[in-house]
């Protein structure tokens, strides 16, 4: 539905659309520490999903800022 938070933002732990790319990048750094395949709590699949969700979020914010 319109106005609903996209799933990739939810997967990154956001409850609202972040105001800027720096916020998304900061969240990525925190989650990357936990989800990186070299960490006991991480896995390749989780890290790839994190990267994909982050890229989608950054593209979404860039598009919103262009309008």
């Amino acid at each position: 539905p319109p106005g609903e938070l996209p799933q990739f933002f939810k997967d990154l732990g956001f409850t609202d659309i972040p105001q800027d790319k720096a916020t998304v990048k900061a969240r990525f750094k925190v989650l990357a520490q936990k989800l990186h395949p070299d960490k006991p709590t991480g896995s390749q699949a989780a890290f790839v999903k994190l990267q994909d969700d982050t890229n989608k979020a950054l593209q979404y914010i860039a598009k919103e800022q262009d309008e």
Side-chain angles (χ1 to χ4, degrees):
E4 185 173 323
L5 189 67
Q7 186 61 44
F8 51 85
F9 283 124
K10 293 177 185 176
D11 291 345
L12 291 170
F14 290 107
T15 55
D16 292 310
I17 295 173
Q19 295 299 308
D20 55 37
K21 292 180 182 182
T23 305
V24 174
K25 290 176 183 178
R27 181 68 52 94
F28 172 82
K29 285 183 179 183
V30 170
L31 292 173
Q33 292 291 323
K34 187 169 78 169
L35 298 177
H36 193 276
D38 292 344
K39 301 287 183 181
T41 55
S43 73
Q44 184 68 31
F47 192 70
V48 168
K49 180 163 179 12
L50 171 62
Q51 290 174 311
D52 186 49
D53 287 341
T54 300
N55 287 332
K56 287 178 183 174
L58 292 172
Q59 289 172 0
Y60 184 96
I61 291 171
K63 184 177 158 234
E64 290 294 306
Q65 289 175 348
D66 285 346
E67 291 181 354

